[in-house]
Amino acid sequence: MSKKYLYLFSEGNANMRELLGGKGANLAEMTNIGLPVPQGFTITTEACTQYYEDGRQINDAIMAEIMEYVAKMEELNGKKFGDLTNPLLVSVRSGARASMPGMMDTILNLGLNDEVVAAMIAGNPDPAFERFVYDSYRRFIQMFSDVVMEVGKKYFEQLIDKMKEDRGVKQDVELTAADLKELAEQFKAEYKAQIGSDFPSDPKTQLMEAIKAVFRSWDNPRANVYRRDNDIPYSWGTAVNVMPMVFGNLNENSGTGVAFTRDPATGEKKLMGEFLTNAQGEDVVAGVRTPMPISQMEEKFPEAFKQFVDVCGILENHYRDMQDMEFTVENGKLYMLQCRNGKRTAQAALKIACDLVDEGMRTEEEAVAMIDPRNLDTLLHPQFDQKALKAATPMGKGLGASPGAACGKIVFTADDAVAWAERGEKVVLVRLETSPEDITGMKSAQGILTVRGGMTSHAAVVARGMGECCVSGCGDIIMDEENKQFQLGGKTFKEGDFISIDGTTGNIYDGVIPTVDAQIAGEFGRIMAWADKYRKLKVRTNADTPTDAKKARELGAEGIGLCRTEHMFFDPERIAAFREMICSDTVEEREEALDKILPYQQADFKALYEALEGNPVTIRFLDPPLHEFVPTEEPEIEKLAAAKGKTVQEIKDIINGLHEFNPMMGHRGCRLAVTYPEIAAMQTKAVIRAAIEVQKEHPEWKVVPEIMIPLVGDVKELKYVKKTVVATADAEVAASGIDLKYEVGTMIEIPRACLTADEIAANADFFCFGTNDLTQMTFGFSRDDSGKFLNAYYDAKIFENDPFAKLDQEGVGKLMKMAIDLGKPVNPNLHIGICGEHGGDPSSVEFCHKIGLNYVSCSPFRVPVARLAAAQAAIADKK
Ligand code: PEP
Ligand code: MG
């Protein structure tokens, strides 16, 4: 039998969301449970994918099936397309598997033409009815021209404005039936002028064109962006729902509204919504008239209101979730046009989930599964005031690299950020890109905006760690650092000008948008406790400072999965010694400089162990190329020259000698420890001595430091570095008089390490996947520059997501799986985690659960996201 592409509402049900889309499945379900739904049909999402496969054509078989279902719909409703006694008018609406509000197209009042309009008017002598018919007609021509034929709204709006001016009126509603009739004629003429042919009068032609337009809208730019932001695959396609019109704008005994069964902002259990008499759905949304609160509907339509309240109860009990509904009252009779699980704020989501458990409607596991982990971000960071945000238009867009909202005066250097913040100014730091030297400035700013860099760039990683808003990689900015200004969206922004950035969406706004602080309600703790009960994955954090570590602990981290030790070197006192180390000629000189750093590192590690209270701490040895640490400014170079007893030129020669063509593939990671084992020795001493101190002071804790060697690609590299680590550590432990255990493991971030993981596992206590570098090296994409071309990849449908943000499961994930499969049999005690940025991404966390990792490690503010995502993965697994 050939594939079935169409379903009457009476043929589907709520479980068919993949095929019928959310809207179609729910229309079917409402039909099944006996609610008043105008009876139409749904064209499946498979028809949409077929449309694209057929080169954006509806093939003959599907076309024939649509005609068959049109006949069925006509029969069911006792009305016919184009009929002069009982004309059928329909709405055509998109409806994907996941709701994408406002992203795709809708056409209302389809089926009208000159003859139908004339016949309708002839059948009803009420002058108000004549006005209604012409109003519907001109709306239809306008919508069809705009949405289906892409003529552009503005031509029609200009005609309406002109008509109002000619008639001396201000509001659309003041136009008479005759005015609207004339407007409909003008619209058709405009259509012909723009398109070159007459407005289609055959309702079936209108319908086919409208269906194609909805399919086409799946691929419109705003839908593509929305999908990427919300993890919705392109391959899903959209369904199309064709439904007989009911008219809320028929007369004063009619109306239309939208309502929620609970407050979508707070979650409070009360009917919320808005209602307009004598109006069509779009009027409520468009804000042309001010709707009345839903409670007032009771006075106007007591019968329909009572029925609606009953329907709300039925739907909530049926779906066991808050419902968002659209409905219409036509001549006093209620019709349900749509229902779905309502979109809600993060705070409302938590409250509703907890209330549903308390009301006995949901289990704890179901409540955990109901929360979108990505929304938790909004609970932990400042956000823009929603009203102000709605009124604002973005000037540009970068990557939403670290969530939250920031508003402040523009500064261009880290030093200015510090200075301005010290005098009480709120600033946003705008840089081409950031480097480790900028850290204090980044901390002082409300947010960070960069021109270059992707989701794992320095700015993105550091900002996420600090919980600070960051928009990275806005390539549209034309930067003029020298004159402290930049251009974006045709405007020049100067130092001191206000700017607002949204680290969740990546949007950049001109001027001030007020922010509101994060609020964590009591339900947050309840949901998190349930999540912890069900998850299998442990959640650690990437933290380099005791402050970050404490924050992460508060947010539920169970250990440190990655401490990037290099971040500790940028303190002014330490950087001098570190630079002396870099510019040393002999091992002795280097050791002398390292000896100066040792006490600092030891104190840092001690504070980290203390913050973690006996929970695991993984310390990664020095990783970045050395050129990141050398001075760039003349006075600093002179200072270094004086300290080393060298000439300025000699120092400059050393600095130049550190230049590399591909620094990310250069002298970094374990390669530094191979060249300079004394660095690894110093870091080992600091790790072990600090652990011994803390273990002695806190015998109740079990301190087991985990030393992690980065960027290993060959087991011999690991063995070589490990020799220094073990010899140094064992000597320290022996001298301490206590039996301190420690582990030595490696990051798995080079494809060769995955391919030879069996050899490596025999020499490692643990693996930790560095998926930032592993993604970089598997794709061969620079993690700092790929933002420049990824947009073209999205447009060309080569990629749907940034692989640095969402793990590429087929490629990078396969390498991870291979490493586990090779490593575990050789070393069954091997514990395995991930500490690349993917450790805080929900779909990547789910993958980590599936391939059997022991833990994920992510920046502090992502810890709750990871806890929830891990629980959801475990709960889904049980099913
Ligand atoms: C990684 O490469 O995934 C990683 C965690 O290390 P870094 O980002 O410091 O290179
Ligand atoms: Mg790395």
Side-chain angles (χ1 to χ4, degrees), residues 81-98:
F81 267 146
D83 192 275
L84 301 186
T85 326
N86 254 330
L88 176 66
L89 304 185
V90 296
S91 66
V92 180
R93 288 170 193 254
S94 61
R97 207 188 294 185

Side-chain angles (χ1 to χ4, degrees), residues 564 620 623 668 710-711 747 749 770-774 783:
R564 292 179 166 102
R620 195 227 2 232
D623 184 56
R668 58 172 288 223
L711 228 64
M747 294 199 67
E749 50 185 346
T771 44
N772 301 336
D773 276 310
L774 192 58
R783 52 195 270 194

Side-chain angles (χ1 to χ4, degrees), residues 369-386:
M370 283 172 79
I371 311 287
D372 183 344
R374 287 166 307 178
N375 285 350
L376 292 184
D377 268 342
T378 60
L379 289 174
L380 304 169
H381 302 283
Q383 299 296 320
F384 285 127
D385 175 71
Q386 284 304 307

Side-chain angles (χ1 to χ4, degrees), residues 319-321 353 356-358 360-364 366-367 370:
Y319 286 101
R320 298 180 299 132
D321 198 354
L356 290 173
V357 171
D358 294 342
M361 302 245 274
R362 291 275 182 180
T363 63
E364 289 171 9
E366 285 172 336
M370 283 172 79

